[in-house]
C-alpha cells in the first residue's frame, strides 16, 4: 500500500453473538482495518462488512482496492465498498434487512455462488476465498476454512501436504488458551536450539523429533497470527529471522556430529560439503532477493507454474530434512548430508537458470514480469 494512498474506513453492520477464533466480528474487522490502514482518508468512501457473515481477509483487501464493488451471498451484500453517502446508506439498509443490492446505484456485483477468483499476493495463490454465514453450527467449518485460507499456496511439500491437520489442531488449542503467535514462536525457537545441540552430539533421532515439532510450530505461529489478525512487525522479524538463520547451523552440526557415529567426513569432503550447502544456501537466497527487486517484489516461486512446483522440493530446510530422515533409516547420516549438498547445488543451478530466463523475458517485454497466479479478476 502506498503511503499516500487514500483508504476507506471499515464499518461493521449489525451484530453477531458468535465469535470466530475468540473474536467478535466488530473486533475482527477492527483488527483487519488497523492492519491494512483503513483509516477513512478516502473521504465518504466506506468499506461495509456484514456481521452476519465472515469473509477471508483477502476479500476485504480486494474490495478495499476496488471502489464500487459489492460481494453478495444468497443475494445479500456481505461486503461492499461504497464510494459515497447515498450508496453507503442504501447498502447498510440492505445488509441489516438481509435484502438484495439496491437498484439504481453504480456498483459492480460479485456473486459468491459464481466462484469469483482473486489473487492473494500475500499468500502466493489464486483462489475463491471463503465467505460464509457465521452461526454456532457453522463455526467449526468456518474455523477450518479460515485456517486453510491462511495457508500459502506456494510452499514446500511438507508444509503443503503433511503439516496442515497437525497445525490446525494446535492452532485451535493455542487460540482457545489465549496464546499469542510470539509465544508459539518462542517455544519453537527453544526447540530449534535444542535440535541444533542434539545434532552436534550425534543424537540425530532426538534432533529430528525436536526439529519436527519446531517445524510444525513454525506453521502454527503464522496461522494463529493470520486467523486472529495479530500479525506484528516484531512477530514477523522474530519468526522470519529464526527461519533464515538456523538452517546453516543445523547442516553444520549434523556434519560435525558424524564423529559420534564413526562416520566423520575427511577434511576435504567436509569442506566441499559445507561449501556447497552454506554457499548454495546464501546464493539461492540472494537470487530470490534479486528476482524480487527486479520484478516488483514478486517471488521467484510464483512467476510460472514450474517455479511454483519446484518450490515444493527446492533445497530449503523441510525438503532437506526429508533427505536426512531417509538417510537415518539406513543408518547413514553421512550419505544424507552429502545428498543435501548435491541437492543444494542442483537447486542453485535451477534458480540461476530461472533468474537468467527472467532477465531475458524482461528484456523482450520491456516491463516487469507478472505472476501466472494473477490472471483476470473475476
Amino acid at each position: 500500500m502506498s503511503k499516500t494512498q487514500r483508504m476507506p474506513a471499515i464499518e461493521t453492520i449489525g451484530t453477531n453473538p458468535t465469535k470466530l477464533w475468540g473474536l467478535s466480528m466488530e473486533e475482527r474487522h477492527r483488527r483487519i482495518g488497523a492492519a491494512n490502514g483503513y483509516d477513512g482518508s478516502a473521504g465518504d468512501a466506506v468499506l461495509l462488512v456484514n456481521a452476519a457473515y465472515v469473509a477471508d481477509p483477502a476479500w476485504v483487501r480486494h474490495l478495499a482496492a476496488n471502489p464500487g464493488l459489492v460481494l453478495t451471498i444468497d443475494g445479500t451484500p456481505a461486503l461492499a465498498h461504497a464510494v459515497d453517502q447515498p450508496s453507503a446508506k442504501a447498502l447498510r439498509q440492505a445488509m441489516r434487512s438481509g435484502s438484495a443490492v439496491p437498484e439504481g446505484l453504480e456498483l459492480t456485483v460479485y456473486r459468491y455462488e459464481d466462484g469469483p477468483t482473486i489473487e492473494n499476493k500475500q499468500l502466493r495463490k489464486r483462489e475463491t476465498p471463503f465467505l460464509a454465514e457465521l452461526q454456532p453450527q457453522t463455526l467449526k467449518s468456518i474455523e477450518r476454512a479460515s485456517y486453510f485460507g491462511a495457508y500459502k499456496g506456494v510452499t514446500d511439500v511438507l508444509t503443503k501436504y503433511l503439516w496442515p491437520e497437525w497445525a490446525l489442531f494446535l492452532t485451535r488449542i493455542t487460540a482457545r488458551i489465549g496464546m499469542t503467535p510470539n509465544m508459539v514462536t518462542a517455544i519453537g525457537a527453544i526447540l530449534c536450539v535444542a535440535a541444533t545441540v542434539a545434532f552436534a552430539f550425534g543424537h540425530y533421532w532426538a534432533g529430528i523429533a525436536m526439529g519436527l515439532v519446531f517445524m510444525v510450530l513454525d506453521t502454527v505461529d503464522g496461522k494463529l497470527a493470520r486467523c486472529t489478525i495479530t500479525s506484528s512487525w516484531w512477530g514477523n522479524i522474530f519468526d522470519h529471522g529464526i527461519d533464515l538463520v538456523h538452517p546453516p547451523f543445523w547442516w553444520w552440526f549434523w556434519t560435525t556430529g558424524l564423529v559420534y557415529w564413526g562416520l566423520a567426513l575427511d577434511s576435504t569432503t567436509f569442506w566441499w560439503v559445507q561449501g556447497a550447502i552454506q554457499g548454495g544456501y546464501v546464493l539461492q537466497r540472494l537470487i530470490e532477493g534479486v528476482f524480487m527487486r527486479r520484478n516488483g517484489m514478486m517471488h521467484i516461486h510464483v512467476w510460472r507454474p514450474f517455479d511454483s512446483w519446484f518450490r515444493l522440493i527446492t533445497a530449503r530446510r523441510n525438503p532437506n530434512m526429508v533427505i536426512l530422515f531417509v538417510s537415518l533409516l539406513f543408518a547413514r547420516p553421512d550419505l544424507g548430508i552429502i545428498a543435501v549438498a548435491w541437492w543444494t547445488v542442483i537447486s542453485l543451478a535451477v534458480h540461476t537458470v530461472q533468474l537468467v530466463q527472467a532477465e531475458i523475458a524482461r528484456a523482450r517485454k520491456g516491463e516487469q514480469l507478472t505472476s501466472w497466479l494473477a490472471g483476470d479478476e473475476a
Side-chain angles (χ1 to χ4, degrees):
M1 182 182 68
S2 169
K3 291 183 179 179
T4 59
Q5 185 176 354
R6 296 171 60 189
M7 303 299 292
I10 187 168
E11 179 183 340
T12 302
I13 305 302
T15 59
N16 193 327
T18 304
K19 295 183 177 181
L20 178 64
W21 300 109
L23 302 177
S24 67
M25 287 301 96
E26 292 84 352
E27 177 60 15
R28 175 180 168 83
H29 299 148
R30 185 197 68 77
R31 291 187 183 187
I32 292 174
N36 291 279
Y38 301 151
D39 56 5
S41 58
D44 289 339
V46 61
L47 190 60
L48 304 173
V49 286
N50 192 334
Y53 301 92
V54 61
D56 190 300
W59 272 127
V60 183
R61 291 192 296 269
H62 185 71
L63 266 77
N66 290 275
L69 182 61
V70 180
L71 178 66
T72 69
I73 183 169
D74 297 327
T76 302
L79 296 97
H81 187 161
V83 297
D84 52 40
Q85 292 185 16
S87 295
K89 182 178 180 180
L91 287 165
R92 286 189 189 99
Q93 180 58 37
M95 287 183 177
R96 290 192 179 103
S97 61
S99 55
V101 176
E103 296 182 359
L105 300 175
E106 294 185 4
L107 300 169
T108 300
V109 178
Y110 280 3
R111 295 178 68 254
Y112 185 73
E113 293 82 359
D114 293 337
T117 62
I118 60 175
E119 181 189 7
N120 187 331
K121 292 183 179 180
Q122 290 185 351
L123 297 180
R124 307 173 206 167
K125 57 185 175 181
R126 184 174 186 82
E127 62 174 352
T128 302
F130 78 89
L131 172 67
E133 186 174 6
L134 180 61
Q135 298 177 343
Q137 59 268 31
T138 63
L139 182 58
K140 278 270 188 181
S141 62
I142 291 176
E143 276 188 348
R144 189 175 184 84
S146 172
Y147 167 82
F148 280 100
Y151 241 86
K152 286 181 179 178
V154 178
T155 185
D156 68 86
V157 64
L158 293 184
T159 302
K160 192 174 183 70
Y161 297 114
L162 187 60
W163 294 170
E165 295 297 336
W166 299 0
L168 171 57
F169 175 74
L170 291 173
T171 301
R172 278 177 168 155
I173 290 176
T174 53
R176 285 170 185 169
I177 65 177
M179 288 185 68
T180 67
N182 287 347
M183 291 177 185
V184 177
T185 303
I187 294 171
I190 293 170
L191 290 170
C192 177
V193 173
T196 306
V197 174
F199 294 151
F201 288 96
H203 301 309
Y204 295 128
W205 285 115
I208 280 185
M210 290 184 287
L212 174 67
V213 178
F214 160 63
M215 289 188 288
V216 174
L217 291 180
D218 189 36
T219 293
V220 171
D221 58 10
K223 303 306 167 289
L224 181 63
R226 294 187 185 107
C227 288
T228 59
I229 325 294
T230 51
S231 296
S232 65
W233 176 86
W234 164 244
N236 285 328
I237 294 297
F238 189 19
D239 182 33
H240 291 106
I242 293 171
D243 289 347
L244 185 66
V245 169
H246 82 270
F249 290 95
W250 277 16
W251 317 142
W252 177 275
F253 286 111
W254 182 286
T255 311
T256 61
L258 291 171
V259 68
Y260 295 98
W261 284 56
L263 296 171
L265 303 179
D266 63 80
S267 180
T268 300
T269 305
F270 177 92
W271 287 110
W272 273 111
V273 165
Q274 288 303 312
I277 293 176
Q278 309 292 358
Y281 177 76
V282 171
L283 289 174
Q284 189 168 316
R285 288 290 195 168
L286 286 174
I287 287 172
E288 292 174 7
V290 169
F291 187 97
M292 290 178 67
R293 295 185 188 284
R294 295 282 290 168
N295 294 284
M297 301 312 290
M298 177 180 72
H299 287 266
I300 194 171
H301 309 296
V302 301
W303 175 27
R304 302 163 303 185
F306 169 81
D307 307 317
S308 297
W309 172 83
F310 193 71
R311 177 63 180 88
L312 288 169
I313 58 173
T314 192
R316 290 281 192 91
R317 178 196 65 202
N318 289 4
N320 287 349
M321 286 295 282
V322 172
I323 295 173
L324 294 175
F325 175 79
V326 172
S327 75
L328 272 187
L329 293 177
F330 294 94
R332 291 303 303 268
D334 56 329
L335 296 182
I337 200 67
I338 292 172
V340 167
W342 275 109
W343 185 235
T344 301
V345 171
I346 293 169
S347 296
L348 176 61
V350 171
H351 275 64
T352 302
V353 171
Q354 289 171 309
L355 182 61
V356 172
Q357 290 175 331
E359 289 302 308
I360 293 172
R362 272 173 51 89
R364 288 175 177 171
K365 291 182 63 177
E367 59 186 24
Q368 287 183 344
L369 305 178
T370 56
S371 170
W372 72 281
L373 298 172
D376 296 325
E377 302 292 355

